[in-house]
Amino acid sequence: MEAYVMHKVTSLLPSAALAEKKWPHIDSLRLADPQFKTPKKMDVILGAEYALAITLPQILKGSEGEPIAQPTIFGWIVGGKVSGEVKSFTSLHTQCDLNETLKRFSEVETIMPKQPHLTEEEQLCETHFAETHTRDRSGRYVVKLPFKPSHEDLGDSTTTAMARLQAMERRFARNPVLQQGYKQFMDEYLALDHMELVQPDELEQPNSMKYVLPHQAVIRPTSETTKLRVVFDASAATRPNKPSLNEVLAVGPPLQDDLLVLLQRFRTHQVALSADVEKMYRQVLVSEADRDFQRVFWRQAPTEKIQTHRLKTVTYGTSCAPYLAKKVLQQIAHDYRSEFPEASQAILPSFYMDDLLCGAATVEEGKKLRREIQEVLNRGHFSLRKWSSNSEEILEEIPSDMIAITPDEIRTQSKSISALGLKWNPGNDTFSLMIDTPPPVTTKREFSSGVAKTFDP
């Protein structure tokens, strides 16, 4: 058989020494491990396909609370739970080593190189975008949802969506402030033409040609812009136990650099610039042919009739949304590469989803780069806001409602802003971590829990 060689297979078995007892039904047997009562290191763990191959067809049982014996080609083996013993000595054992857990935790956060090759599904997703994306008369990008090439028909999510809306309405009855914020969010969707009413003659369609997205509120008290966001659930359960929308959509390949790589590149610039895209996903239209897969139930008050709407833009909560939005950003850079080469070159590697981190060598270069990036993205209807810089001169030429930090706050070094989960003080150009002071730590488990709560790329 093929085997994995490891420094340590599992912890000692049994975990504690068993009391000396006599069990008449196994006393005369030739045991594969005569010292099974003593904790010892394991040398080999066999998978079931091999373990079953070495066992012989016979079992000996004693009285209740006594071990069970079974013959193998190596001799008899014993196992089971013994009355009066705290620990069982069955060989089905799992190692739980907190040191190893901490090691794996750090490995998860280690920078990994990008995949050298796309999977077949990822390549199909790239080809699908290249062949199907278009622009409308206003210049806004239009995309089609990337369905997997072979997938089952969608299930019916109507019941789940209806139940979720009614559950939210019960919360509204207890929390009028939540209701007002939720209503404002949905009203904005309608006012910006990001959502439209489904007409009565369009309501009846085969389940495979539509999907109703359940939705709920997510509260973000620390957000500087949107405290309440309505999140749409494209993974909701369906009937009769068929795929959800997310299960039939291709996710697409990763299109952005690792966080630490982006932050390190950001530090190479003498003049730093940061901003984010306003409502990034919602600046990309979904093709009319695919909008019925983004239906939602909504009404202004529980006394009104529930109406069916459909979302017209890329939707937060669908598995392909990050890929589509980021891909459109990259497409804008490619489309205007000849006219704005420096801005396009900066856009391609400098976004982590909707966050832009870039810079230049001098203030004048920084001013020119900022204006060109803004111009390029405006042509695709992407508006940059919350501009920050370590240069007062650059911020002075930006409207006050479009900046996250003022020139005065840079001079006094009195304000830090969020930069990819860290705190960046443009005044003294330093990064810091936000750490909640924990209670006294007395165990490794408490320590690992505290580490996991601190975002430190």
Side-chain angles (χ1 to χ4, degrees):
M1 67 180 189
E2 293 184 1
Y4 294 100
V5 180
M6 308 173 72
H7 293 295
K8 185 176 181 181
V9 178
T10 184
S11 52
L12 299 181
L13 285 179
S15 54
L18 301 176
E20 288 295 330
K21 289 185 179 179
K22 293 290 184 180
W23 294 299
H25 66 295
I26 66 171
D27 279 350
S28 61
L29 300 178
R30 185 177 67 85
L31 300 177
D33 178 14
Q35 298 177 321
F36 70 90
K37 296 179 183 179
T38 304
K40 287 192 174 183
K41 186 176 78 170
M42 293 294 102
D43 297 312
V44 179
I45 291 182
L46 298 179
E49 68 271 29
Y50 299 109
L52 294 175
I54 66 169
T55 57
L56 301 175
Q58 186 180 357
I59 288 181
L60 288 180
K61 294 183 179 180
S63 303
E64 184 177 352
E66 293 185 341
I68 299 170
Q70 183 174 16
T72 74
I73 60 174
F74 301 115
W76 288 77
I77 58 174
V78 292
K81 196 168 182 69
V82 182
S83 60
E85 298 288 348
V86 176
K87 303 290 184 183
S88 66
F89 57 95
T90 174
S91 60
L92 301 177
H93 190 81
T94 301
Q95 177 184 5
C96 183
D97 188 330
L98 196 55
N99 291 318
E100 285 298 313
T101 303
L102 285 170
K103 179 182 175 185
R104 287 197 300 271
F105 174 78
S106 66
E107 288 171 348
V108 165
E109 298 202 338
T110 299
I111 302 175
M112 299 298 289
K114 279 193 171 182
Q115 248 178 268
H117 301 292
L118 299 181
T119 65
E120 183 178 353
E121 182 180 302
E122 289 172 342
Q123 185 56 61
L124 286 171
C125 203
E126 289 277 80
T127 303
H128 177 270
F129 177 86
E131 294 176 350
T132 61
H133 83 272
T134 58
R135 299 181 75 171
D136 67 7
R137 292 181 180 179
S138 70
R140 198 178 295 272
Y141 285 77
V142 183
V143 298
K144 288 184 68 68
L145 298 180
F147 287 95
K148 294 177 182 177
S150 58
H151 62 265
E152 299 178 51
D153 288 342
L154 281 171
D156 185 0
S157 59
T158 303
T159 303
T160 305
M162 189 70 71
R164 197 80 62 87
L165 176 61
Q166 292 167 346
M168 284 305 308
E169 290 178 338
R170 289 193 291 272
R171 288 181 63 186
F172 294 160
R174 301 190 299 269
N175 189 342
V177 175
L178 173 65
Q179 180 181 20
Q180 184 62 26
Y182 209 98
K183 180 178 177 297
Q184 287 176 353
F185 192 99
M186 299 300 277
D187 286 347
E188 181 191 62
Y189 247 95
L190 286 165
L192 295 176
D193 197 29
H194 295 167
M195 180 169 75
E196 63 186 2
L197 185 67
V198 178
Q199 299 303 316
D201 61 333
E202 300 178 277
L203 291 175
E204 295 304 322
Q205 277 185 304
N207 284 337
S208 61
M209 300 301 295
K210 65 181 181 183
Y211 191 83
V212 184
L213 297 168
H215 49 88
Q216 62 194 50
V218 172
I219 310 296
R220 300 186 304 166
T222 58
S223 173
E224 296 181 10
T225 51
T226 308
K227 303 291 185 184
L228 181 148
R229 171 177 288 177
V230 176
V231 175
F232 301 93
D233 183 6
S235 298
T238 64
R239 296 183 180 181
N241 196 26
K242 284 193 171 186
S244 67
L245 180 61
N246 275 349
E247 290 176 297
V248 300
L249 290 174
V251 176
L255 298 176
Q256 55 199 20
D257 287 331
D258 181 89
L259 265 177
L260 188 54
V261 172
L262 204 154
L263 285 167
Q264 288 176 329
R265 187 186 301 127
F266 182 56
R267 301 303 278 164
T268 65
H269 303 297
Q270 186 72 21
V271 178
L273 293 167
S274 79
D276 71 33
V277 181
E278 183 177 11
K279 298 179 175 63
M280 177 175 170
Y281 289 6
R282 289 161 59 183
Q283 308 311 321
V284 183
L285 292 174
V286 170
S287 168
E288 290 184 16
D290 290 343
R291 289 176 189 173
D292 280 311
F293 294 107
Q294 299 189 154
R295 291 186 175 187
V296 295
F297 292 144
W298 176 242
R299 58 183 173 186
Q300 297 286 337
T303 55
E304 297 181 4
K305 181 181 177 181
I306 293 177
Q307 294 182 312
T308 303
H309 297 76
R310 57 181 159 231
L311 306 179
K312 301 171 66 175
T313 63
V314 167
T315 299
Y316 189 83
T318 56
S319 57
C320 59
Y323 166 78
L324 290 174
K326 189 68 166 58
K327 191 67 181 177
V328 167
L329 267 182
Q330 293 186 351
Q331 189 62 45
I332 295 173
H334 288 303
D335 289 346
Y336 294 99
R337 182 166 44 193
S338 59
E339 188 176 355
F340 299 101
E342 293 176 4
S344 297
Q345 189 62 34
I347 290 170
L348 285 170
S350 302
F351 271 97
Y352 193 86
M353 285 317 301
D354 60 347
D355 290 316
L356 169 70
L357 293 180
C358 64
T362 67
V363 172
E364 289 307 313
E365 289 177 5
K367 288 181 178 181
K368 179 174 180 287
L369 181 63
R370 190 204 68 80
R371 288 193 295 266
E372 289 190 354
I373 290 176
Q374 184 77 71
E375 174 63 23
V376 170
L377 295 183
N378 280 346
R379 295 191 184 187
H381 290 261
F382 286 89
S383 175
L384 288 171
R385 60 178 181 176
K386 296 198 296 185
W387 281 99
S388 303
S389 175
N390 58 351
S391 166
E392 301 170 34
E393 295 178 55
I394 289 178
L395 292 175
E396 284 170 350
E397 69 172 23
I398 306 174
S400 59
D401 60 338
M402 299 298 291
I403 59 177
I405 187 169
T406 66
D408 284 342
E409 288 169 332
I410 291 180
R411 281 190 289 271
T412 58
Q413 303 181 7
S414 59
K415 185 176 180 180
S416 294
I417 62 167
S418 178
L420 300 186
L422 300 176
K423 287 295 180 181
W424 174 44
N425 187 321
N428 55 30
D429 205 6
T430 59
F431 279 111
S432 58
L433 301 175
M434 295 297 293
I435 300 175
D436 292 327
T437 305
V441 174
T442 57
T443 67
K444 290 180 182 178
R445 188 174 301 279
E446 291 172 351
F447 176 81
S448 62
S449 175
V451 168
K453 292 175 183 176
T454 302
F455 176 71
D456 176 12

